[in-house]
Amino acid sequence: MKTRIARILASVAMAAGAASPTAGTAQSSVAYLSQGPNWTNATRTAFYSQDQGSQMIPYAWLSAIKTPDGKPFLFDQLQRYGYLPNAFARSGTNLPIGFTLAGPAGNQMAGMTCAACHTRNIVANNVTYRVDGGPAIVDFQALLVDMVGGVGKVLASDAAFGDFATAVLGAGATQAQRDNLKLSVQTWYDRENEMVTRSLPSADLWGLGRLDAVSMIFNRLAGLDLGPAPTYLIADNIRAADAPVRYPFIWNAPKQDKTQWPGFADNGNDLLGLARNLGEVYGVFGIYHPVKSGTVISNVNFLKGNSANFSGLGALEGLVKKIGAPRWPFAVNTQLAAQGKAIFGRPTESGGCAACHAEKPGVTRPLFQATWATPIQDVGTDSHQYAILGRDAQSGVLEGGKFRLVGTPIPKTTTAFKLLSFSVIGSILQQKLSFIGLGAAPQNKSATQNALAGAFREDAVNPPTDTFKYESRVLYGIWATAPYLHNGSVPSLADLLKPAAQRPATFAVGPNYDTSRVGLAAQQPGAYVRTTTGCDARGSGNSRCGHEFGTTLTDAEKTALLEYLKVL
């Protein structure tokens, strides 16, 4: 850390930290920030479109449905929801960054990959800068609602379905083909409409730049995957996804020794990374329909019909390891930043940050990968995410499932958290992947299972009475990740250095950036405004309460600290 910061502070040239895009790309107006020597246009291209097994909707359907005003659903590459055009997409595709195509020509599935949620633009001084790995400023809720609504309109009349069927199948399709298509569309709609209706009961549940990822993973797995065919629905397992958090930044994520906002997942080697990413796939349209089976691992076949792309997940984790923290592309007062560095290193009670946020050695995991310490602690921030972690769910097809090596049978009703853990770990074990000597032999299965034991730590999610702990990240690149706190309730680092009662109760969310306040600008191009609550409503999901560190610094000290946070 010292070497890196010293190099930055010594370099006046860092004001020109934006890398030039490839000549001739469709997005030549975007300045690609310098994110380390390993992050190139080749790695960026792969990151933007690497398939991980998500199967959201057949691409032909997505291309054929319409917006409410009759335009093709993909007319703007989904930019109206905040998604970013992909200048590196292969010719002929019209999907934005983070959306994938998989399968044979003519039968391709559109899906999502991590870049959809972890790529953003910031706009300052009339320049648009790309932050790869940064928290997206997108409206995922609106996308889901509108996509499902578009499919619903196809089913609303014979005329609408006729136009849709012709677009998908061609004018020469037989009646049998059209009937089969309608059955498939109806089944898709029944599942996804149930998901949207129950998960998202109000239009403003998440807002721009946030989602309740944990609830949606629970809901998709427990609600859409474990019931009887052909829908696989257990509708009562789908609950309101009302604990929104902002998308985290993912550079240096593989180096954390804990991950997920509440810190319930051990992290720090490729096996734990696979568990982290496989759970994410099951939450973003991965196909997972386990069946009862007398396999040597458990009483469940986890991989029958499973769409997870294990090699693609490995490739994505390798790409994430290459994303460096973005360099601040504007001028820096290096003398002031040096003063801020000294303040950063102070004890917490004196306004310092290093005790929680500096780079320090963490736990060394099996498979010999060192980590950075990621403290998990209660600093008074919004508590609502903990309300969802202990939710019960019917076990469906997983009832009675048991790892033969350890554990007890899955009961009829358990926590959604346990069902997710069982599904992810069971899938990995059954896949018999080889990770640095961990193969398919029984003793190596045991070693693999032991290595995965902390991938879903139940001791970290038992609903507490008055303690709500979240992770504390190393702050490299923190300047590019506004809004702040885990639920995105504070617009800038300058506001975070104020007592909670003085932070903005409302603020606009969008790409426009304030270089002096180090965060979101007051004026944004859209109309979305986030409304927050104070410490009297800590469990609202929108509370700006907590993390009152540095609030007693003088104005001059705060200015110096902000200058230093720009160069981290």
Side-chain angles (χ1 to χ4, degrees):
M1 177 178 175
K2 291 181 179 179
T3 301
R4 182 179 187 276
I5 299 305
R7 183 174 67 249
I8 294 172
L9 290 179
S11 174
V12 178
M14 71 170 295
S20 298
T22 300
T25 61
Q27 227 176 330
S28 58
S29 61
V30 173
Y32 292 85
L33 292 170
S34 174
Q35 295 194 240
N38 296 321
W39 196 244
T40 65
N41 279 338
T43 52
R44 179 180 289 115
T45 300
F47 176 66
Y48 285 175
S49 58
Q50 171 62 58
D51 172 56
Q52 62 179 15
S54 170
Q55 296 193 1
M56 180 171 68
I57 187 173
Y59 181 62
W61 300 7
L62 189 61
S63 299
I65 62 175
K66 306 292 185 181
T67 65
D69 58 359
K71 295 178 182 177
F73 196 78
L74 294 173
F75 80 91
D76 65 346
Q77 287 188 284
L78 306 181
Q79 292 181 73
R80 63 193 182 277
Y81 303 110
Y83 295 101
L84 305 175
N86 188 354
F88 301 93
R90 65 179 183 267
S91 177
T93 62
N94 61 339
L95 292 173
I97 288 171
F99 286 73
T100 61
L101 285 178
N107 194 29
Q108 293 175 308
M109 295 293 294
M112 298 180 74
T113 192
C114 53
C117 303
H118 302 288
T119 308
R120 76 183 293 169
N121 285 347
I122 63 171
V123 180
N125 303 326
N126 297 315
V127 177
T128 298
Y129 298 90
R130 174 61 46 76
V131 183
D132 290 321
I137 304 293
V138 297
D139 193 341
F140 186 36
Q141 178 174 350
L143 170 64
L144 290 178
V145 170
D146 290 353
M147 181 175 64
V148 172
V151 175
K153 288 184 178 179
V154 164
L155 295 167
S157 70
D158 290 342
F161 183 78
D163 292 341
F164 173 81
T166 298
V168 171
L169 299 174
T174 66
Q175 187 60 47
Q177 289 173 319
R178 295 164 75 89
D179 290 344
N180 286 336
L181 175 63
K182 190 165 189 177
L183 180 62
S184 296
V185 173
Q186 187 69 61
T187 301
W188 185 96
Y189 178 77
D190 289 344
R191 286 166 46 83
E192 297 299 334
N193 187 58
E194 194 76 39
M195 181 71 171
V196 164
T197 301
R198 289 175 176 261
S199 297
L200 305 171
S202 63
D204 59 350
L205 209 56
W206 298 346
L208 198 60
R210 299 194 307 178
L211 83 164
D212 183 350
V214 172
S215 281
M216 292 302 281
I217 292 172
F218 287 171
N219 286 349
R220 294 201 75 88
L221 185 135
L224 298 187
D225 293 339
L226 306 183
T231 65
Y232 303 95
L233 274 166
I234 304 179
D236 288 344
N237 281 352
I238 303 175
R239 313 285 182 82
D242 59 357
V245 298
R246 71 170 176 87
Y247 299 96
F249 60 90
I250 60 172
W251 52 82
N252 299 325
K255 296 181 181 179
Q256 296 177 240
D257 62 10
K258 303 285 184 186
T259 192
Q260 307 298 347
W261 285 118
F264 60 69
D266 287 348
N267 191 55
N269 62 39
D270 286 344
L271 199 56
L272 290 166
L274 178 62
R276 163 171 36 90
N277 294 327
L278 183 58
E280 176 254 331
V281 172
Y282 288 161
V284 287
F285 310 103
I287 304 300
Y288 170 63
H289 299 317
V291 296
K292 291 186 181 297
S293 172
T295 67
V296 296
I297 299 171
S298 68
N299 294 325
V300 175
N301 183 343
F302 297 93
L303 299 184
K304 184 177 176 61
N306 192 321
S307 70
N309 182 343
F310 286 88
S311 62
L313 287 169
L316 275 169
E317 185 72 359
L319 290 166
V320 171
K321 290 178 182 178
K322 294 182 178 182
I323 304 176
R327 290 287 190 89
W328 175 264
F330 314 107
V332 169
N333 182 327
T334 55
Q335 183 177 2
L336 192 62
Q339 296 172 18
K341 180 182 178 181
I343 295 168
F344 184 92
R346 289 178 183 174
T348 303
E349 60 271 18
S350 300
C353 314
C356 300
H357 295 296
E359 179 188 331
K360 297 186 290 290
V363 176
T364 299
R365 302 293 181 198
L367 311 185
F368 315 108
Q369 184 173 322
T371 64
W372 293 347
T374 311
I376 309 297
Q377 52 198 327
D378 187 345
V379 295
T381 51
D382 190 281
S383 63
H384 192 56
Q385 188 168 67
Y386 273 85
I388 68 175
L389 293 176
R391 284 179 176 171
D392 288 338
Q394 299 171 49
S395 302
V397 71
L398 297 184
E399 182 182 353
K402 175 184 177 183
F403 293 128
R404 294 291 177 83
L405 301 174
V406 296
T408 56
I410 297 289
K412 183 175 182 178
T413 300
T414 186
T415 62
F417 186 89
K418 182 170 287 186
L419 295 175
L420 175 64
S421 172
F422 183 68
S423 295
V424 169
I425 295 174
S427 297
I428 293 173
L429 289 171
Q430 188 176 338
Q431 182 67 11
K432 302 177 183 176
L433 295 178
S434 176
F435 288 91
I436 315 178
L438 293 179
Q443 65 272 21
N444 285 333
K445 288 197 189 79
S446 179
T448 303
Q449 186 162 316
N450 290 338
L452 286 167
F456 297 89
R457 295 178 52 249
E458 291 187 61
D459 64 303
V461 299
N462 290 329
T465 55
D466 58 0
T467 302
F468 308 97
K469 298 180 179 180
Y470 298 97
E471 66 177 18
S472 304
R473 296 281 301 271
V474 175
L475 295 187
Y476 296 148
I478 193 65
W479 69 270
T481 67
Y484 296 100
L485 298 184
H486 74 277
N487 63 340
S489 59
V490 180
S492 71
L493 290 177
D495 291 310
L496 193 59
L497 291 176
K498 297 177 180 178
Q502 297 176 24
R503 296 169 186 165
T506 62
F507 58 91
V509 178
N512 289 351
Y513 190 80
D514 188 324
T515 58
S516 63
R517 300 188 63 76
V518 195
L520 301 183
Q523 301 299 318
Q524 297 293 341
Y528 177 74
V529 173
R530 176 157 301 147
T531 299
T532 65
T533 65
C535 296
D536 56 329
R538 183 184 177 186
S540 70
N542 296 301
S543 175
R544 62 186 180 274
C545 190
H547 198 277
E548 295 203 15
F549 302 113
T551 58
T552 60
L553 295 172
T554 66
D555 289 345
E557 289 173 323
K558 289 180 180 180
T559 299
L561 180 58
L562 290 175
E563 199 73 3
Y564 178 65
L565 292 174
K566 296 174 182 178
V567 305
L568 270 175

